[in-house]
Amino acid sequence: MTNDLTTWLDNLLAELDGISVRRTSRRRLRVEVASDALPALLELLRGRASFVHLSAISCVDWIDAGQFELVYHCWSYETQSLVSVHTRIPREPGVYISVYDIYTPAAFFERDIHEMFGVWFEGSPDLSKFILTEWDGPPPMRKDFDSEAWVNQHFDWQDYHPDWLKDLEARGGGIAVPPDEQRFSRRTVDET
Amino acid sequence: MRDIDHQDRGGLLGPLKNLSFFARQPITEPLGPRPAAANYRGFHLNDWDLCIGCSTCQKVCDNAAITMVKVPGLPEDPVKGIRNLRPAIDYGRCCWCALCVDLCPTGSIALSCEYVHTCLDSELDSYFILPDARGIHGTPYPKGWAKSTDADLVALDRQPMTEQAPAERIGNFSEIVAGYDAHQALIEASRCVQCGMCHDACPTHMHAPEYIRAIWKGDLEGAVREIYRTNPFAHTCGRVCTHRCETACSVGHRGAPIAIRWLKRYAMDAVDHARVKQIAAEGRADFISGKRVAIVGAGPAGLTAAFDLVRQGHDVTVLEAQAQGGGMVRYGIPDYRMPADRLDRDLDVIISLGVKIRYNTRVGVDLTMERLRAEYDAVVLGVGLWMGRSTRVPGADQAGVKRAVDLLRAVAAGEAIEVPQSAVIIGGGNVAMDSARTLARLQQQRYGEVRITLTALEDLDHFLADADEIREAREEGVQILEARGPQEILMREGQVAGLRTWGVRSIFDGAGRFAPSYEPADEQIHAGDMVVEAIGQAADVALLGEALTEVLQWHRGRLQVDGQGRTNLEWLWAAGDMVRGPDVVSAVADGHRVADSIHAYLSVQEHAP
Amino acid sequence: MRPENYEAQRQPPSYDYELNIGPNHPGIEGNYAFKLRLNGDRVIAGRADAGYLHRGFEKLMEGRLWIQNLAITPRICVPDPVPMEVSYCLAVEDLCGLVVPERAQWLRVMQLELSRIAAHLFIFGGHAATTGMYTPMFWGIADRDLILDLFEEMTGGRVYHIYNIPGGVRRDLPDGFGERVANTLDYLESRLPDYDNLLFTNQVFVHRAQGCGPISQQQALEWGVTGPNLRATGLKFDVRRDDPYLVYDQLEFEIPTEEPGDAWARALVRRREIKESIRIIRQVVARLPTLAGPIRCPIPNPLAWNVPAGSTYTRVESSKGELAWYVVSDGGERPYRTHVRGPSQMHAVQVLEQLAIGCRIEDVAQIMFSLDACPPEVDR
């Protein structure tokens, strides 16, 4: 039964123009679609193919390509499969259409993406600030925002002077390699 | 059907059932501290005897909680790969993930079974600790999360190197190792934890972490660029380097060190030779200084100095007695370890930068040192160790007794030599192994069998040769006899017939001086048509001429130089084996030192009125 | 929002008033604010206000090595950290094509289900407390501590275990652990009737919970409700069964459902799930001795590990609902992008705002707790 539905879905999607479909596993389907065709596709998925659950909308900032990638993860309780619909929009001006009229949960994800990436969703019910209420800097999840640099500008490292350190310094030792010089948990490290 | 006793309207009595709890024994927990579970991730412990200060913990710490602190008085030995640094932990940042434990190369770091640390604001410094084996509060809590094979993240196993099997390789002089392929190189490079112990241990301080990283990233040209920062004998050192880097490698403490030498070999072989030349030429001075430097000897030391000086805009001429360059690398190291065509590539890079080499020009015969002094602004001696030492046992002056350096040079130069049906080698160093294995190949080619006996004063554990060399020589059929002292060359009908040896009682006397004593009762005769003496070499300094020899300062038969390789004469430097002892990479390091010193000297001259 | 930055909204004169619950309030789960507009004690509108726990984890993870991110993942959801770890590892494994040894998969299931029980006990007590009954809360937290003891032994950490690693887990079980798990499970099982007595036969709880914050199945699907909250509306759906991961397809367990979709139904579903999780763990304990072998497949040196380019969406069933990671690699040493989809992102915002309308002020806290909304999941 499930397999029949899966085949049916594959066939349905295959008939549509301008989309590329790749089945990555039995329950996962990756669909790429042009941004202007996406709402119609979601409409189709929800209305005709039982994908009633919008699991999430993810946004990826492909800064080098000058694009935002929006990924709509839709789940069907009937076919028990997940379709991830990928689309790309230009990073500037970063405006897209809301799918709130198709999926209610989109309101949260669109608000979140607007706040974190600065994408404006036309028709979304509420794009007001949510998590970053008092933030007036650039949308922080954008790749060109360096959160660590911001933190270093605004906060001080704890300055420790324990006795053992004073003692070592008196004997000619002391801090040789501060953590910032060596650690790998920072993107800039091995670019140097 | 109902698995839960619930009521749709609810009652009052149900909850009252739990009043029975008043009749139960209360649960009490003792107030005293309890140790946590055996795997608990508490506060850091560090075994200072195991810790080598490599700072890998600092690299993997995702919160920048680790500071490396210099502790004076702790052992510090770059050659062994030990630094006097120890990690200090900032508990304002630590998140207790224990990746520092799992990636610690030595296994010195662990976390304790201790739960709590807290303090007043005024004692905030207590959040920054320098852990040792006693723990944060100095109280004995047992080790919790420690190194385990399950969670160990250090890749301990080396990528195997494909080699010719003994039966296959004994019949030819082609290189034994096949080299890594791209996949092997990538995996091997990925094992590196970037601690830089190799860099510190290397005589010429090669940027091994950087080129290993570049190889891992697939940036082979970048790797070559890093290699050429410090070593123009890149192909050579990718093959025959004594790889002190690998001895110091921190991964080697519990596993096999990164195959740094083979990775260098891989990078050099993988990049197109024409591109290597371009990379080596990057950063070369775009002016001509007008200063002239003469270098005697086209070996690693001399040519490295030449490479540096040419890059700095000086005019360099190298005078070489042999028909080809490379010095001992060409004439002392057999082809199965160091193929001549790879050495040619190294030389080609150096020559392409503008170094002029005059071959077949023997200083002291074809032209004098005095003339060099007159024609050049500075002179470097880098003549290598070409004079084999003799055992001076009776018969050692016979024609059938060869010095290893002469033998190896003749083979390398392609001269016809008489291949003995059986041979005895005296000596336990790498040169002895080279001689034995070279003769073994010639015998195999000529007679189809190997009959070589190698005798050395030392017992096997104290052989000077690399363990690999000994193993491979044995695999190739060389019979190795330890602790034998040569007594006499045996003759039959005017021809060398063998060597008589006695067992060795001891090599050094009570004061540590070389004074071997023998056990005459333990006498053996080793048959051989040829005896090869491979017990050491010296530099032939006759080229200096009497007058110069007189004014130069000497130390135990070696030319005395300062830290920069300069002799007591302002215009004369010396470098390489003749001042350092035999080692390619030390010679390269020496070449750099001398070049720096000369460049400084020439620059000062320039500015002087 | 800091108090000094708060400005009361200007409204036409009326008897309506505004009330902030949180960010520090016993009626709110965690640091979270719910701003109510009230008329009398009747809620006219509610507005969720998050951000008090925002640590920028998704951004942080873009700057850290694949393995270093393990330390971050459990911290996204404090009461139920394990599904975060596991689903992140599943994502990395999927991208790398790593095959996790079977033993490790069973160990993960054990850890996941222990975590589910711990989280349910936690919220179970919390829910009771919002109806004025604090005993179940004390009990829930005390009994949860027994599971934390097991975690301490199994993983080395009580709350943040960092036990999973791409490719498997970091430690095998200590000796005799199966027995101690069995003992704890027996004890917890014996405690369930005590909880039932206090809650489900209790007139106070019954009256307060029944009919409180009802969600119809239709609404649940519309609003993206998942997990126990969805099952409380009668839909038999569980990621473990219907989109299986690890070895859940080899385990026997029921998916409890209830029809009414109110706070009462949600509490009952959780209560039943505790029982099912106990059942699952018992199967794991019985199975583990038959599974020898490694607990981790070989992985590269963490300092030099490029994950092949690609993206993946891995879902698991956390104690609160559908939890998923969308992980994108550009082939580098660090994730290009990680996006966590926590169930509370729906439950604590849109669903809560909807359910609050028209309810009475004293039910707001109950609704939030009965939804098991976890603010750190919203904030990340």
Side-chain angles (χ1 to χ4, degrees):
Chain A
M1 173 66 182
T2 309
N3 274 337
D4 291 347
L5 282 171
T6 316
T7 322
W8 172 79
L9 176 68
D10 285 355
N11 292 339
L12 178 76
L13 291 174
E15 282 172 21
L16 296 172
D17 283 337
I19 72 169
S20 99
V21 180
R22 187 156 56 86
R23 182 162 285 285
T24 49
S25 72
R26 191 162 75 82
R27 295 179 193 274
R28 294 284 185 278
L29 200 65
R30 181 193 164 98
V31 178
E32 279 171 43
V33 64
S35 59
D36 52 354
L38 180 123
L41 176 65
L42 292 189
E43 196 103 49
L44 183 83
L45 282 172
R46 182 179 163 85
R48 283 184 49 203
S50 79
F51 285 82
V52 297
H53 177 54
L54 177 70
S55 179
I57 307 176
S58 306
C59 182
V60 189
D61 179 7
W62 296 104
I63 188 168
D64 294 340
Q67 288 175 324
F68 285 120
E69 183 182 25
L70 293 167
V71 190
Y72 296 74
H73 309 280
C74 308
W75 172 257
S76 161
Y77 288 105
E78 280 175 43
T79 61
Q80 297 191 343
S81 60
L82 185 106
V83 176
S84 291
V85 184
H86 298 242
T87 193
R88 293 201 178 211
I89 60 167
R91 207 164 172 272
E92 295 301 329
V95 175
Y96 195 50
I97 325 158
S98 168
V99 296
Y100 176 66
D101 51 338
I102 309 170
Y103 288 112
T104 312
F108 172 84
F109 296 116
E110 287 169 355
R111 189 177 177 190
D112 189 56
I113 292 170
H114 170 66
E115 188 162 44
M116 298 296 174
F117 291 88
V119 179
W120 180 266
F121 290 92
E122 209 68 66
S124 197
D126 182 4
L127 293 179
S128 59
K129 285 183 171 182
F130 184 49
I131 289 171
L132 308 173
T133 324
E134 286 158 337
W135 174 256
D136 46 16
M141 284 300 290
R142 288 189 176 213
K143 286 282 178 189
D144 44 8
F145 177 72
D146 185 343
S147 53
E148 188 163 320
W150 188 88
V151 166
N152 283 331
Q153 279 162 21
H154 290 79
F155 299 99
D156 293 326
W157 285 62
Q158 177 67 40
D159 213 2
Y160 294 109
H161 290 289
D163 292 340
W164 60 260
L165 186 59
K166 289 178 194 153
D167 175 52
L168 287 182
E169 280 166 352
R171 292 196 284 132
I175 289 173
V177 193
D180 236 24
E181 282 180 22
Q182 291 257 354
R183 70 207 169 98
F184 275 54
S185 58
R186 191 178 168 167
R187 193 166 272 278
T188 47
V189 166
D190 51 320
E191 262 77 52
T192 54
Chain B
M1 178 58 208
R2 252 184 195 173
D3 55 339
I4 299 176
D5 181 24
H6 68 76
Q7 295 169 4
D8 290 340
R9 301 302 314 147
L12 284 171
L13 290 177
L16 296 180
K17 285 183 195 164
N18 286 343
L19 288 177
S20 65
F21 273 68
F22 282 116
R24 295 194 194 175
Q25 278 288 324
I27 295 168
T28 46
E29 288 279 344
L31 274 178
R34 67 160 185 174
N39 270 335
Y40 189 67
R41 300 193 302 267
F43 299 100
H44 288 75
L45 302 172
N46 189 14
D47 183 342
W48 280 21
D49 294 335
L50 275 182
C51 182
I52 52 170
C54 67
S55 81
T56 304
C57 46
Q58 186 177 39
K59 292 191 180 67
V60 81
C61 180
D62 42 2
N63 295 327
I66 301 186
T67 302
M68 295 308 290
V69 175
K70 184 176 166 194
V71 182
L74 287 180
E76 189 185 15
D77 186 350
V79 173
K80 286 186 185 152
I82 297 174
R83 297 191 186 126
N84 60 356
L85 305 180
R86 293 295 179 267
I89 318 287
D90 175 355
Y91 284 117
R93 304 188 69 92
C94 175
C95 74
W96 287 273
C97 64
L99 284 177
C100 51
V101 177
D102 290 352
L103 197 63
C104 176
T106 63
S108 71
I109 295 196
L111 298 174
S112 72
C113 284
E114 191 170 359
Y115 286 113
V116 181
H117 174 73
T118 187
C119 68
L120 300 171
D121 269 4
S122 57
E123 298 157 326
L124 218 53
D125 281 344
S126 69
Y127 273 75
F128 188 48
I129 69 159
L130 182 65
D132 53 21
R134 289 168 308 172
I136 180 169
H137 300 121
T139 39
Y141 274 89
K143 250 188 205 179
W145 188 276
K147 187 64 106 186
S148 84
T149 41
D150 282 338
D152 193 3
L153 292 174
V154 186
L156 298 176
D157 297 326
R158 179 183 273 211
Q159 284 294 297
M161 173 56 82
T162 313
E163 292 180 358
Q164 290 188 61
E168 191 185 335
R169 68 185 185 231
I170 185 66
N172 63 59
F173 276 86
S174 54
E175 199 178 0
I176 292 176
V177 297
Y180 283 147
D181 60 30
H183 180 70
Q184 285 175 311
L186 184 128
I187 306 260
E188 185 62 24
S190 79
R191 297 171 60 218
C192 174
V193 294
Q194 299 281 305
C195 65
M197 290 293 186
C198 44
H199 173 90
D200 298 355
C202 177
T204 185
H205 300 304
M206 290 202 72
H207 295 88
E210 288 83 356
Y211 70 71
I212 293 173
R213 188 90 182 153
I215 291 171
W216 172 70
K217 286 190 164 180
D219 177 14
L220 296 175
E221 293 190 359
V224 170
R225 191 168 289 118
E226 293 291 345
I227 291 168
Y228 267 91
R229 280 170 79 178
T230 50
N231 194 340
F233 276 79
H235 278 293
T236 304
C237 283
R239 286 177 162 77
V240 295
C241 185
T242 42
H243 56 76
R244 295 185 196 176
C245 47
E246 296 182 22
T247 312
C249 177
S250 62
V251 175
H253 281 263
R254 290 184 306 117
I258 315 299
I260 303 175
R261 180 175 60 170
W262 297 144
L263 285 173
K264 179 161 53 229
R265 178 192 194 278
Y266 167 75
M268 290 308 300
D269 284 359
V271 174
D272 182 61
H273 182 58
R275 188 73 191 107
V276 172
K277 284 201 267 191
Q278 288 170 358
I279 293 170
E282 287 169 8
R284 187 187 156 186
D286 53 2
F287 55 84
I288 294 166
S289 73
K291 301 289 179 185
R292 302 184 70 213
V293 181
I295 293 174
V296 184
L303 287 184
T304 301
F307 175 83
D308 284 1
L309 290 167
V310 158
R311 282 170 57 86
Q312 284 156 337
H314 305 298
D315 180 76
V316 182
T317 304
V318 181
L319 306 147
E320 170 58 50
Q322 304 291 337
Q324 284 175 290
M328 271 299 171
V329 175
R330 182 179 303 276
Y331 293 105
I333 303 177
D335 254 25
Y336 59 84
R337 280 174 59 202
M338 182 63 222
D341 64 325
R342 296 292 145 171
L343 176 61
D344 290 343
R345 287 194 175 193
D346 278 344
L347 298 182
D348 188 43
V349 171
I350 295 166
I351 292 167
S352 73
L353 289 178
V355 175
K356 296 182 287 266
I357 308 182
R358 283 161 62 187
Y359 297 108
N360 298 315
T361 307
R362 190 172 282 279
V363 175
V365 178
D366 300 319
L367 76 176
T368 61
M369 289 296 288
E370 280 72 20
R371 208 175 126 198
L372 289 181
R373 185 199 172 175
E375 289 179 10
Y376 293 91
D377 298 294
V379 179
V380 180
L381 282 177
V383 296
L385 309 177
W386 286 86
M387 269 191 351
R389 292 187 201 279
S390 171
T391 57
R392 302 199 182 156
V393 296
D397 49 357
Q398 294 291 336
V401 179
K402 306 278 186 201
R403 307 274 161 84
V405 271
D406 299 336
L407 176 79
L408 291 171
R409 190 203 58 77
V411 174
E415 293 168 15
I417 67 155
E418 198 136 313
V419 181
Q421 290 211 345
S422 63
V424 182
I425 318 286
I426 304 172
N430 282 330
V431 175
M433 297 298 158
D434 286 343
S435 312
R437 298 175 69 188
T438 298
L439 281 179
R441 278 166 174 72
L442 293 172
Q443 283 180 337
Q444 180 73 22
Q445 286 173 348
R446 177 75 61 89
Y447 308 113
E449 62 169 350
V450 174
R451 286 172 63 196
I452 309 265
T453 309
L454 185 145
T455 73
L457 288 179
E458 298 86 2
D459 57 76
L460 259 180
D461 292 340
H462 294 92
F463 266 41
L464 295 175
D466 297 343
D468 283 347
E469 284 288 317
I470 298 169
R471 176 179 54 80
E472 288 173 2
R474 283 193 161 152
E475 286 170 358
E476 288 162 11
V478 176
Q479 189 192 9
I480 296 180
L481 302 174
E482 55 182 331
R484 306 294 314 164
Q487 302 304 322
E488 186 193 359
I489 308 293
L490 300 173
M491 305 293 294
R492 190 184 306 129
E493 295 165 8
Q495 300 289 318
V496 168
L499 176 71
R500 182 165 60 80
T501 62
W502 286 349
V504 174
R505 272 198 210 122
S506 66
I507 302 177
F508 300 101
D509 66 11
R513 280 181 298 248
F514 180 75
S517 72
Y518 301 113
E519 180 60 62
D522 175 15
E523 182 172 285
Q524 286 183 18
I525 306 289
H526 317 290
D529 313 336
M530 181 192 274
V531 173
V532 180
E533 294 175 309
I535 60 163
Q537 305 95 263
D540 183 358
V541 290
L543 78 160
L544 292 171
E546 260 177 49
L548 199 51
T549 308
E550 199 62 33
V551 292
L552 282 165
Q553 280 176 6
W554 300 83
H555 179 71
R556 290 192 177 186
R558 276 187 190 170
L559 198 52
Q560 191 166 357
V561 294
D562 66 9
Q564 275 69 49
R566 199 177 199 169
T567 64
N568 56 322
L569 301 178
E570 141 174 278
W571 55 276
L572 184 64
W573 282 259
D577 292 358
M578 63 182 294
V579 290
R580 287 287 142 203
D583 179 34
V584 178
V585 70
S586 298
V588 169
D590 235 21
H592 288 308
R593 255 192 301 272
V594 163
D596 287 350
S597 174
I598 292 175
H599 180 63
Y601 165 68
L602 296 179
S603 306
V604 169
Q605 267 195 333
E606 199 146 293
H607 297 303
Chain C
M1 185 179 287
R2 297 191 186 96
E4 62 268 29
N5 292 344
Y6 181 75
E7 268 181 59
Q9 286 178 301
R10 296 199 179 276
Q11 300 282 350
S14 75
Y15 290 103
D16 294 357
Y17 63 101
E18 273 186 49
L19 180 71
N20 283 8
I21 304 189
N24 267 312
H25 191 279
I28 281 280
E29 213 185 334
N31 299 85
Y32 197 67
F34 198 47
K35 297 181 174 171
L36 300 175
R37 183 149 194 88
L38 294 138
N39 186 310
D41 64 354
R42 196 61 69 179
V43 178
I44 299 171
R47 192 129 167 80
D49 177 22
Y52 303 97
L53 279 165
H54 181 61
R55 294 144 291 180
F57 278 158
E58 289 176 4
K59 183 83 177 180
L60 268 182
M61 289 174 76
E62 290 175 9
R64 298 185 181 209
L65 302 178
W66 289 97
I67 276 206
Q68 289 178 328
N69 284 327
L70 291 173
I72 287 182
T73 53
R75 288 169 163 90
I76 292 174
C77 179
V78 190
D80 190 15
V82 181
M84 291 284 175
E85 276 185 33
V86 172
S87 52
Y88 173 75
C89 289
L90 288 174
V92 179
E93 282 150 13
D94 187 37
L95 289 171
C96 295
L98 296 177
V99 180
V100 180
E102 212 186 341
R103 187 172 171 82
Q105 300 201 24
W106 285 80
L107 288 170
R108 280 181 177 179
V109 169
M110 177 188 267
Q111 194 205 7
L112 279 166
E113 295 306 317
L114 283 171
S115 178
R116 188 183 314 279
I117 299 175
H120 278 351
L121 285 173
F122 199 74
I123 198 65
F124 205 57
H127 185 179
T130 62
T131 62
M133 293 180 291
Y134 284 89
T135 308
M137 187 179 81
F138 298 141
W139 284 1
I141 287 172
D143 286 345
R144 169 179 175 262
D145 231 50
L146 298 175
I147 296 177
L148 300 192
D149 283 347
L150 291 178
F151 276 140
E152 180 182 330
E153 234 193 298
M154 178 180 184
T155 68
R158 291 180 74 80
V159 177
Y160 300 131
H161 312 131
I162 318 176
Y163 178 62
N164 290 273
I165 194 166
V169 295
R170 291 168 83 188
R171 279 285 189 281
D172 211 331
L173 296 181
D175 288 340
F177 186 73
E179 204 178 317
R180 290 192 286 282
V181 172
N183 290 341
T184 305
L185 293 181
D186 290 348
Y187 168 78
L188 289 174
E189 199 174 24
S190 75
R191 290 281 283 152
L192 292 177
D194 295 338
Y195 286 98
D196 297 346
N197 286 338
L198 269 191
L199 288 174
F200 299 110
T201 65
N202 185 341
Q203 202 169 11
V204 177
F205 186 73
V206 172
H207 281 265
R208 286 292 304 277
Q210 283 186 355
C212 175
I215 311 176
S216 72
Q217 197 179 103
Q218 171 89 32
Q219 284 170 325
L221 293 175
E222 179 84 25
W223 294 342
V225 174
T226 55
N229 300 337
L230 178 62
R231 293 190 281 277
T233 69
L235 189 74
K236 203 176 184 112
F237 173 79
D238 190 312
V239 180
R240 291 175 290 174
R241 166 71 47 88
D242 298 306
D243 189 9
Y245 50 99
L246 298 173
V247 288
Y248 277 110
D249 48 0
Q250 301 177 40
L251 288 157
E252 279 179 26
F253 59 99
E254 293 296 320
I255 302 170
T257 57
E258 294 288 334
E259 291 295 333
D262 53 9
W264 165 259
R266 295 193 278 270
L268 265 182
V269 166
R270 288 201 183 89
R271 159 66 184 77
R272 292 214 163 95
E273 284 189 4
I274 294 179
K275 182 97 179 159
E276 294 306 317
S277 290
I278 290 175
R279 192 171 152 198
I280 292 175
I281 299 168
R282 286 196 173 130
Q283 293 172 56
V284 177
V285 171
R287 184 67 192 269
L288 275 176
T290 67
L291 293 166
I295 56 163
R296 175 163 69 89
C297 69
I299 54 169
N301 173 5
L303 297 179
W305 186 5
N306 281 341
V307 166
S311 68
T312 186
Y313 192 69
T314 46
R315 297 202 305 168
V316 300
E317 181 80 26
S318 88
S319 66
K320 299 166 197 334
E322 177 193 31
L323 167 74
W325 280 96
Y326 181 62
V327 179
V328 182
S329 170
D330 62 350
E333 316 159 66
R334 301 170 174 83
Y336 189 76
R337 165 90 168 107
T338 57
H339 177 212
V340 62
R341 187 268 185 222
S344 306
Q345 291 171 0
M346 288 300 107
H347 301 156
V349 188
Q350 278 171 280
V351 176
L352 183 62
E353 283 175 358
Q354 290 286 340
L355 291 183
I357 297 172
C359 81
R360 286 170 54 170
I361 187 169
E362 66 266 30
D363 281 336
V364 171
Q366 185 184 187
I367 292 173
M368 180 160 184
F369 273 79
S370 72
L371 288 169
D372 197 354
C374 177
E377 256 176 31
V378 180
D379 278 345
R380 291 154 285 154

